[in-house]
Amino acid sequence: MNTLQYLLCLVAVLLFAVPAAGAVSSAPRQKAGKAVPVGDFSVVPLLDGIHSFALDLFKGADEATMLKIAGTQTIPGSFNVFLIKHGKERFLVDTGNGTLRPERNGQLPLCLKDAKTAPEEISKILITHLHGDHIGGLVKDGKPAFPGAKVYVARTEYDYWTSDEAMRQAPESRRGGFAPAREALRVLEQNKLLVLFTPGDVLFPDITSIALPGHTPGHTGFMLTSKGKRLFFIGDLLHGAALQMPRPDITLGFDVDQPLARETRLRMFKQLAEDKTPVAGAHLPFPGIGIVRPDGNGYKLEKLQ
């Protein structure tokens, strides 16, 4: 191979290489997506970062089967945060990676600026669970990143991440998540911003918390209902849509309780497809909003019309 051929091959590799799990994509980033009306509310998808899941992170089927379903060794996804607007009020569902995982972008501040919203305007933050890619944006330099926002966390979730026994029993690969969760909770409690709730509680008018256990013990979804319209924020009910929509029985290695995560996803997909309730997912490809539809023995995600 001569020098010119070598350089051409190198360019081809760089252009067409697929990012590894958790790797940042060099693709142009859209900051704030198109607002979705839900009755009196408006929901704006915010892209905290683009990433992908390696196929070997998923459990419940052999690699050849999963590769045939997904068609790729890396499952594309996003880190999505959702801004809810209601009159002059501004809420967030999760806060992305922040400075905990800067290699995963942490673009929420830029997204909010693009959505013409200042951090000081956020009055409530709904946390689906306490993994770093959902709470990384809560704290900056040891202080609340959203100083006027009450932060809502399920009590079951709080109890799990503050339990020394739970940390001891966790696989070594997962123990690293306890420290940032505890630090975020410490800062919130110190500033009297933490609100604990029980899944099933109506947190405030038009938004109800719904237990989605399995991925973590207190993993929670939030149902927004207004004027007959609904949108269900599902958090990490699934991670790799290309694989887990057609095969919702497939779990992820990060699920704390994989059998329960599987059971919850199967039950909720069936219900969501029957009710035709639109969903907003933290790891669905951006903008992360669609409708779950039956498709053969599994499901597919359709864009909102």
Side-chain angles (χ1 to χ4, degrees):
M1 179 182 293
N2 60 36
T3 302
L4 178 59
Q5 289 173 321
Y6 172 80
L7 290 173
L8 288 173
C9 288
L10 180 60
V11 169
V13 168
L14 292 173
L15 285 174
F16 297 104
V18 178
V24 174
S25 169
S26 60
R29 292 193 293 269
Q30 185 176 355
K31 296 180 178 67
K34 182 179 178 181
V36 175
V38 185
D40 287 332
F41 293 75
S42 178
V43 177
V44 182
L46 306 177
L47 181 60
D48 190 59
I50 298 173
H51 76 125
S52 57
F53 291 101
L55 198 64
D56 61 9
L57 291 175
F58 294 90
K59 311 296 179 184
D62 60 81
E63 184 178 355
T65 298
M66 291 194 289
L67 185 58
K68 184 177 180 180
I69 295 168
T72 175
Q73 286 282 352
T74 54
I75 311 299
S78 301
F79 295 110
N80 301 320
V81 176
F82 298 96
L83 171 66
I84 302 175
K85 297 182 177 182
H86 184 234
K88 293 183 178 180
E89 283 200 283
R90 300 290 182 267
F91 311 156
L92 285 178
V93 179
D94 291 330
T95 62
N97 290 284
T99 57
L100 283 181
R101 301 295 297 272
E103 76 280 8
R104 291 184 169 182
N105 294 332
Q107 296 294 308
L108 179 58
L110 290 176
C111 294
L112 285 171
K113 186 176 181 181
D114 195 49
K116 298 178 174 56
T117 301
E120 292 76 17
E121 293 180 79
I122 303 298
S123 60
K124 299 178 179 69
I125 300 175
L126 309 178
I127 298 296
T128 60
H129 62 297
L130 293 171
H131 276 158
D133 54 324
H134 297 259
I135 63 166
L138 279 175
V139 175
K140 183 178 180 181
D141 299 327
K143 299 178 181 179
F146 303 93
K150 295 289 186 179
V151 180
Y152 292 74
V153 175
R155 185 174 295 277
T156 313
E157 189 74 356
Y158 176 92
D159 290 344
Y160 174 75
W161 292 99
T162 56
S163 166
D164 291 339
E165 182 61 24
M167 184 168 65
R168 281 193 294 269
Q169 292 182 2
E172 188 174 351
S173 59
R174 293 187 198 149
R175 287 178 198 156
F178 282 80
R182 291 178 176 190
E183 173 61 11
L185 292 171
R186 182 193 68 78
V187 171
L188 294 174
E189 289 183 305
Q190 189 177 61
N191 289 273
K192 298 180 172 55
L193 295 175
L194 182 65
V195 180
L196 299 179
F197 65 87
T198 300
D201 288 351
V202 177
L203 300 182
F204 19 88
D206 300 321
I207 298 182
T208 302
S209 59
I210 297 176
L212 299 175
H215 180 56
T216 62
H219 183 242
T220 305
F222 302 98
M223 182 70 79
L224 169 61
T225 306
S226 177
K227 290 189 172 179
K229 301 296 183 181
R230 295 190 296 179
L231 181 63
F232 187 29
F233 298 92
I234 61 173
D236 284 12
L237 185 63
L238 80 162
H239 293 78
L243 182 61
Q244 291 177 296
M245 292 299 298
R247 282 287 303 271
D249 59 306
I250 290 177
T251 59
L252 187 76
F254 298 142
D255 294 332
V256 172
D257 186 333
Q258 293 187 37
L260 182 56
R262 180 188 304 113
E263 177 187 321
T264 298
R265 184 164 45 256
L266 289 169
R267 172 173 52 84
M268 291 306 305
F269 275 15
K270 183 176 185 295
Q271 181 180 325
L272 290 166
E274 290 174 353
D275 295 345
K276 300 180 176 60
T277 300
V279 300
H283 295 294
L284 293 172
F286 190 76
I289 297 178
I291 298 179
V292 177
R293 302 285 195 193
D295 186 32
N297 294 323
Y299 300 88
K300 62 182 178 180
L301 189 74
E302 289 186 355
K303 292 183 180 179
L304 290 181
Q305 298 300 319

